[in-house]
Amino acid sequence: MRKAEPEYAPTQQPEPFHDPVPRTHAPSPRGRRGTPPPPAAPPRADRAPRPRRKRRPFRWFLVFLLLLVVGSVAAVINLDGKLTRIDALAGYTDRVGNTPGTNWLLVGSDGRGGLSPEQEQELATGGEVGPERTDTIMLVHIPKSGPTTLVSLPRDSYVGIPGHGKDKLNAAFAIGGPQLLVQTVEVATGLRIDHYAQIGFAGFAGIVDTLGGIDVCVPKPIDDPLAGINLEAGCQKLNGPDSLGFVRSRATALADIDRMNNQRLFMAALLQKATSGATLANPFKLWPLAGDTARSLKVDEGDHIWDLGRLGWAMRGDTVATTVPVGGFDDVSGIGNVLLWDKTKAGAFFEALADDRSIPEELLTR
């Protein structure tokens, strides 16, 4: 009997071993056993806000304001340097003491400096006629309070000229220039002059044309070939040459009296336009006007562009415009026809200004 063969396990074939491929997708929310799931991202509304860059508009405003101030100061200094300065307020023995308020002496001269023959013809200056003379003399009193007073001093006023006897007021300018004129006015009025400004033909006409003309209501018709004008009565716009003729002409019934009235009318119209909002708010008008004015003026050595600004501002409101009380006219040998002040009224008139008081109504000439 055959012996039974032992049973063996079946032959096994070796199989290759492979490492598992790492998982690239997000793990199961359950995660591995014992490992807590990662926290969910907070909703967008609950996230901390990202810090934003702070805006500083006030800082830029301060920078702009600083540049504006620096530019304005530089412009004012530039204008101040364009003024022509002369020694007009020189001291002298027994000079009138300081009086309250501020007093300006404004002078319009017949100076022709810088004018070509064509310009002289256009402005009807009459050519060169010897020493420079004054066509316009005005005293401006700015009180500590109250309205400014504008006083016309007739150029033919018969007054004492220190060191030269009695003569017409404008002779003081022809003899000794601004210094003697200022001294003569101070002695005659008892007022201390604090500032001085003078303008010639060309500068006067140039300022008017820079403003685009001046609207003036001419009270009476004026036909004056010597002044180069033929104006009808009524309100009209005057250019530079016509304006110059208007304030210079004496071809009317009252001659110098009418001329002084015309000068005050024109001064009021000029200041009204120069200080109007349309002029001050327009740099294309304001800057040329300021530049032309500075180049056209002669002022005392101690005067500055800001003094002129205060003068213009003081005269832009309600101004009392008048003339020294007139007593009549007379013919003086060697001098000609002169204008006489009313001594009593003129004394009270200037005394009120010297005390910084309003001039009594009965002393005003409207």
Side-chain angles (χ1 to χ4, degrees), residues 154-350:
R155 72 172 194 171
D156 290 340
S157 298
Y158 194 50
V159 296
I161 300 177
H164 299 276
K166 296 197 73 172
D167 206 332
K168 293 181 179 181
L169 180 58
N170 68 339
F173 188 88
I175 295 170
Q179 289 186 8
L180 186 57
L181 177 63
V182 169
Q183 183 179 356
T184 301
V185 170
E186 288 184 338
V187 172
T189 64
L191 294 168
R192 175 78 169 238
I193 302 300
D194 303 299
H195 303 278
Y196 176 89
Q198 173 186 326
I199 190 168
F201 282 162
F204 183 92
I207 290 174
V208 173
D209 285 336
T210 299
L211 282 170
I214 302 297
D215 296 318
V216 178
C217 293
V218 179
K220 302 174 184 178
I222 306 175
D223 184 5
D224 187 356
L226 293 177
I229 57 171
N230 185 4
L231 304 177
E232 297 181 357
C235 297
Q236 54 200 285
K237 177 170 286 189
L238 303 182
N239 60 17
D242 286 344
S243 297
L244 183 59
F246 178 68
V247 301
R248 292 181 59 217
S249 177
R250 292 190 290 179
T252 55
L254 297 179
D256 247 357
I257 301 298
D258 284 337
R259 179 166 72 167
M260 288 186 299
N261 291 335
N262 291 343
Q263 289 171 352
R264 293 196 299 270
L265 281 174
F266 178 82
M267 181 68 73
L270 176 67
L271 288 171
Q272 181 179 4
K273 188 161 188 180
T275 59
S276 66
T279 300
L280 297 178
N282 186 348
F284 298 102
K285 270 192 177 181
L286 181 60
W287 183 250
L289 173 64
D292 288 348
T293 302
R295 284 187 294 268
S296 303
L297 289 176
K298 293 181 180 179
V299 297
D300 181 64
E301 291 178 341
D303 291 327
H304 296 279
I305 196 73
W306 42 90
D307 295 316
L308 292 166
R310 284 195 287 264
L311 170 65
W313 190 259
M315 294 181 64
R316 69 184 296 271
D318 293 331
T319 300
V320 178
T322 183
T323 186
V324 58
V326 176
F329 297 87
D330 194 12
D331 289 319
V332 178
S333 177
I335 296 177
N337 188 263
V338 298
L339 182 146
L340 304 175
W341 293 2
D342 185 315
K343 292 184 178 180
T344 301
K345 291 183 177 180
F349 181 97
F350 289 116

Side-chain angles (χ1 to χ4, degrees), residues 24-231:
T24 57
H25 57 277
S28 169
R30 293 179 176 273
R32 294 184 179 181
R33 183 175 296 178
T35 303
R44 184 176 297 273
D46 297 337
R47 295 181 184 177
R50 180 181 297 178
R52 294 184 178 181
R53 201 171 188 177
K54 292 184 178 179
R55 296 181 179 179
R56 297 179 173 85
F58 187 67
R59 175 187 294 179
W60 290 110
F61 173 75
L62 290 179
V63 172
F64 172 76
L65 187 62
L66 178 61
L67 292 175
L68 184 62
V69 171
V70 172
S72 300
V73 171
V76 169
I77 294 175
N78 179 268
L79 288 174
D80 191 58
K82 293 179 180 179
L83 291 171
T84 299
R85 291 183 168 83
I86 56 178
D87 189 10
L89 304 180
Y92 55 88
T93 305
D94 298 328
R95 186 181 182 188
V96 175
N98 287 326
T99 50
T102 302
N103 298 310
W104 280 82
L105 189 64
L106 307 182
V107 174
S109 77
D110 63 0
R112 296 155 172 81
L115 289 178
S116 65
E118 293 76 15
Q119 289 174 316
E120 288 188 2
Q121 183 176 1
E122 180 187 7
L123 298 178
T125 64
E128 191 58 57
V129 292
E132 188 175 9
R133 301 173 303 179
T134 55
D135 277 284
T136 305
I137 305 172
M138 291 184 175
L139 174 68
V140 180
H141 176 75
I142 305 173
K144 292 182 179 178
S145 62
T148 297
T149 302
L150 173 65
V151 182
S152 293
L153 302 178
R155 72 172 194 171
D156 290 340
S157 298
Y158 194 50
V159 296
I161 300 177
H164 299 276
K166 296 197 73 172
D167 206 332
K168 293 181 179 181
L169 180 58
N170 68 339
F173 188 88
I175 295 170
Q179 289 186 8
L180 186 57
L181 177 63
V182 169
Q183 183 179 356
T184 301
V185 170
E186 288 184 338
V187 172
T189 64
L191 294 168
R192 175 78 169 238
I193 302 300
D194 303 299
H195 303 278
Y196 176 89
Q198 173 186 326
I199 190 168
F201 282 162
F204 183 92
I207 290 174
V208 173
D209 285 336
T210 299
L211 282 170
I214 302 297
D215 296 318
V216 178
C217 293
V218 179
K220 302 174 184 178
I222 306 175
D223 184 5
D224 187 356
L226 293 177
I229 57 171
N230 185 4
L231 304 177

